[in-house]
Amino acid sequence: MKLDSMLPQLGEWLRGTGPESDIVISTRIRLARNLADMPFTNRAAGIQKAEVESKLRETIAKLNWHSPLHYIGMQDLNALNRQFLVERQLISREMANVLEGPRGVAFDDTESVSLMVNEEDQLRMQVMRSGFALDQAWETIDRIDDMIEQKVQYAFHDQFGYLTACPTNVGTGMRASVMLHLPGLGLTKQIEKAFKAMQKINLVVRGLYGEGSRASGDFFQISNQMTLGKSEPEALNDIRSLIHDTLKYERFARSTLLRENKQALQDRVARALGTLQSATMMTSEETMELLSAVRLGVHMHLIEDLTAPLINELFLQTQPAHLQKIIGEALDGEARNAARARYLRQRLREISPQAN
Amino acid sequence: MSKESLSKFGVRPLAMKCQFCSNPATMHLTTIINRKKRETHVCDACAEERNILPGKSSEMPINALLQFVLGSNPGIEKESDETACPECGLKYAQFRSEGRLGCPHDYEVFKERLEPLLLKIHRSQNHVGKVPASLHSARQAQEMQNFRNQLLEAVTRENYEEAARLRDLIRSKEQLDETR
């Protein structure tokens, strides 16, 4: 499979549709699994890693899934292409940067299913959905897990459940994350309060690109922390009820802003769009902040020509690896900032010519 | 899990400045050495230049959390740290420093030391949730066999009331399996 052919398309999770999609960007559930009687990836010898890889690759290839799953070995990808897959959330940063030895990823055409082999755990399955769709994501991943489990024997312990390399994942091995866009709470300075509430019930708040990444542009990922002592549906319910509350607060903040500060809000949105349309240097950080403001403007009907999927597209295409692939050459930081600004100017001119 | 350790996942004010230059800080690292917490705030460029990123690993905060929990685990005895798993050779001391177990057997080998750790991380030591289908049916078969043994025993003891209860229980379970 040629990765370049994926460049113009958006994964299912970035379609900008689905329940509550004015606030919830996407839902993701992953399961961590290991094979019985095999050392975990970090301690496996090369030959054992190769054995695990070939076994899981074969199992995945024979999986009777309704759409084909493409398997790519990491050794066949250069750093840029690995980063490209990170930006599309198909592999983790750890997969792209850290681990040695035979490893790979399988994903479908819609990019809603991805199966990583020989990551920190031998199998990390992930299902992504656009909008707030915990149940659908769980049903899908549960089914894939069942299908794979018919072919291989997972490491499972009566007391501890599914065994994982890191004890923070043991039990269900399930991490469910919902990615939220919360500019209203950001602007009304209530975001810290919301985070405190989340942390109190042991949910974790992270930036867009998972653990270790900073939240920028008011995009946040909320995930369950505990994987032992709660069933999968119970853990999903915890997240669900908290997200419902968060949605309520965010909507309230947005309507308050519209009622009490409409002009200031309009100005903020228009300035963000103006900067994106005319700047000559643009970091990915700033792009994210500005696109965040524009996205808010789209959902609050303060901007007419732009749509949520388009914002998502710009957001994805301006990431470093995507940008370099679009331009067709490797660029250093400064050159990237110039190319990013040029790309944004051009795309926004195509879409909204009268705005210029 | 303490509030303090969780706060590492929290998001800090956006306006924080990089400690090395005046750009806005984009990374906020918390390191805990000898139980002393140190916070570092840096921008992308300085983090890369000074190589302060912990291997750009996506697992950084989880690692930090784990180290925090491991570091504060009381009653650590040097001797048992040296016990090695017969399957993968991992010593508990290695797990303490790396934060990763070596193989499925480690959970049994280090069970006694892992239990309090799991309690701290998850507030539980027991899995509740999905069970592999193969184990699920094996467990059911075992359970049915136990009921049959109890039934036989009840009949032998001429406790017909108990025997009838067990017979009905077995029948209803069998019917349930058939409808599945």
Side-chain angles (χ1 to χ4, degrees):
Chain A
M1 182 195 192
K2 281 239 159 71
L3 291 190
D4 289 0
S5 65
M6 295 161 64
L7 200 51
Q9 79 184 35
L10 282 180
E12 201 274 347
W13 65 279
L14 273 173
R15 271 192 301 122
T17 55
E20 324 285 1
S21 59
D22 54 332
I23 297 171
V24 183
I25 313 272
S26 62
T27 303
R28 178 171 60 153
I29 300 186
R30 75 110 161 104
L31 293 178
R33 299 286 187 254
N34 290 282
L35 302 185
D37 300 319
M38 272 294 199
F40 297 138
T41 314
N42 63 322
R43 219 168 161 79
I47 193 161
Q48 290 167 315
K49 276 191 234 178
E51 195 183 325
V52 168
E53 199 222 10
S54 84
K55 186 163 193 165
L56 287 172
R57 196 182 50 214
E58 259 172 53
T59 307
I60 291 166
K62 285 185 195 151
L63 216 58
N64 190 17
W65 196 239
H66 47 73
S67 61
L69 292 163
H70 311 282
Y71 187 91
I72 304 177
M74 281 301 119
Q75 67 281 1
D76 299 330
L77 297 178
N78 60 21
L80 183 68
N81 279 328
R82 292 201 300 271
Q83 183 57 31
F84 177 78
L85 294 182
V86 173
E87 289 171 8
R88 298 185 86 88
Q89 305 227 353
L90 291 169
I91 65 170
S92 62
R93 286 187 295 168
E94 178 157 5
M95 187 75 160
N97 297 329
V98 181
L99 294 175
E100 295 300 320
R103 58 204 208 281
V105 62
F107 50 86
D108 67 330
D109 287 326
T110 63
E111 298 175 42
S112 45
V113 170
S114 119
L115 308 168
M116 280 184 278
V117 175
N118 278 341
E119 210 247 20
E120 178 183 301
D121 293 298
Q122 291 160 2
L123 183 61
R124 287 259 174 125
M125 301 174 257
Q126 162 180 291
V127 165
M128 286 190 283
R129 286 273 181 277
S130 170
F132 192 26
L134 283 168
D135 289 334
Q136 291 91 322
W138 167 246
E139 276 165 28
T140 309
I141 203 159
D142 187 31
R143 213 159 64 231
I144 295 175
D145 185 41
D146 286 346
M147 290 168 85
I148 294 180
E149 197 243 308
Q150 285 172 5
K151 313 274 181 202
V152 302
Q153 202 191 339
Y154 287 145
F156 186 87
H157 189 281
D158 269 346
Q159 182 186 346
F160 300 131
Y162 291 96
L163 302 181
T164 52
C166 185
T168 52
N169 296 313
V170 77
T172 60
M174 183 189 81
R175 190 89 60 214
S177 312
V178 179
M179 199 202 291
L180 300 170
H181 183 220
L182 303 174
L185 290 178
L187 285 169
T188 54
K189 315 247 180 281
Q190 294 177 75
I191 200 93
E192 291 288 334
K193 213 160 68 184
F195 292 154
K196 280 201 183 110
M198 293 173 196
Q199 288 165 0
K200 238 181 227 162
I201 56 167
N202 296 300
L203 296 181
V204 176
V205 186
R206 300 190 186 99
L208 201 48
Y209 278 85
E211 292 166 15
S213 75
R214 192 192 87 111
S216 54
D218 299 311
F219 294 102
F220 302 96
Q221 257 191 63
I222 315 292
S223 338
N224 63 310
Q225 174 63 38
M226 296 166 181
T227 53
L228 200 61
K230 263 187 189 169
S231 70
E232 294 85 351
E234 283 171 333
L236 295 178
N237 271 339
D238 285 353
I239 300 184
R240 196 186 339 264
S241 71
L242 181 103
I243 301 281
H244 277 306
D245 288 346
T246 311
L247 292 177
K248 236 181 337 199
Y249 295 136
E250 171 65 20
R251 293 220 168 93
F252 181 73
R254 288 185 188 189
S255 63
T256 309
L257 284 168
L258 206 55
R259 202 173 52 241
E260 293 171 9
N261 296 81
K262 187 170 181 185
Q263 211 171 358
L265 193 65
Q266 223 152 13
D267 182 65
R268 188 184 174 90
V269 171
R271 275 169 192 271
L273 183 58
T275 310
L276 289 166
Q277 283 169 330
S278 57
T280 56
M281 294 287 278
M282 188 72 79
T283 62
S284 42
E285 188 83 2
E286 190 182 4
T287 308
M288 195 111 90
E289 307 277 350
L290 296 172
L291 285 176
S292 162
V294 172
R295 190 182 190 276
L296 177 68
V298 168
H299 284 295
M300 293 181 77
H301 309 290
L302 300 170
I303 294 181
E304 303 225 323
D305 304 317
L306 305 180
T307 61
L310 173 82
I311 309 293
N312 288 350
E313 195 182 323
L314 293 178
F315 159 71
L316 184 68
Q317 310 287 34
T318 53
Q319 304 279 320
H322 276 75
L323 192 68
Q324 290 175 79
K325 279 176 90 69
I326 289 169
I327 308 286
E329 57 181 309
L331 301 169
D332 66 13
E334 197 159 319
R336 269 209 304 274
N337 291 346
R340 184 176 292 112
R342 204 163 51 239
Y343 177 77
L344 283 163
R345 288 201 307 274
Q346 190 189 331
R347 287 300 312 274
L348 287 165
R349 202 161 35 234
E350 280 165 21
I351 296 145
S352 174
Q354 67 274 33
N356 281 270
Chain B
M1 196 179 308
S2 72
K3 271 186 189 168
E4 194 191 359
S5 65
L6 273 172
S7 75
K8 279 197 287 298
F9 296 107
V11 177
R12 292 169 172 79
L14 295 178
M16 208 162 262
K17 292 249 163 86
C18 174
Q19 285 172 216
F20 302 101
C21 67
S22 56
N23 287 335
T26 54
M27 313 267 166
H28 309 274
L29 306 177
T30 306
T31 40
I32 295 158
I33 298 162
N34 296 332
R35 300 189 194 182
K36 275 192 188 142
K37 193 166 134 187
R38 202 180 121 227
E39 298 207 342
T40 316
H41 309 282
V42 283
C43 69
D44 282 351
C46 289
E48 205 164 332
E49 197 179 307
R50 281 153 212 269
N51 208 15
I52 8 192
L53 272 181
K56 288 192 177 173
S57 163
S58 60
E59 295 294 327
M60 195 276 286
I62 288 285
N63 267 344
L65 167 74
L66 192 62
Q67 289 305 329
F68 179 80
V69 176
L70 284 170
S72 61
N73 205 1
I76 302 300
E77 293 157 29
K78 277 262 151 58
E79 220 167 281
S80 60
D81 275 10
E82 293 305 312
T83 314
C85 166
E87 293 291 331
C88 73
L90 184 88
K91 292 173 183 168
Y92 195 80
Q94 280 171 288
F95 165 63
R96 273 169 53 79
S97 68
E98 291 161 18
R100 297 288 181 277
L101 291 159
C103 77
H105 299 277
D106 292 348
Y107 278 95
E108 202 51 56
V109 177
F110 304 122
K111 193 170 173 224
E112 280 178 18
R113 316 218 22 199
L114 285 172
E115 278 176 336
L117 176 69
L118 292 171
L119 198 59
K120 274 191 184 177
I121 301 173
H122 301 283
R123 294 195 191 152
S124 170
Q125 302 175 332
N126 297 294
H127 174 58
V128 180
K130 195 172 171 174
V131 170
S134 53
L135 284 182
H136 195 65
S137 50
R139 274 183 188 177
Q140 275 181 331
Q142 182 64 50
E143 192 185 40
M144 288 296 267
Q145 192 53 50
N146 287 345
F147 288 141
R148 284 195 195 98
N149 293 346
Q150 284 172 33
L151 173 62
L152 200 63
E153 208 182 293
V155 172
T156 319
R157 279 188 281 115
E158 296 182 15
N159 184 348
Y160 297 115
E161 208 175 312
E162 174 67 2
R165 189 188 71 83
L166 287 161
R167 180 202 57 202
D168 293 345
L169 187 71
I170 291 168
R171 269 190 198 158
S172 71
K173 280 191 180 283
E174 278 170 348
Q175 273 167 3
L176 194 70
D177 275 355
E178 275 167 30
T179 54
R180 271 181 192 156

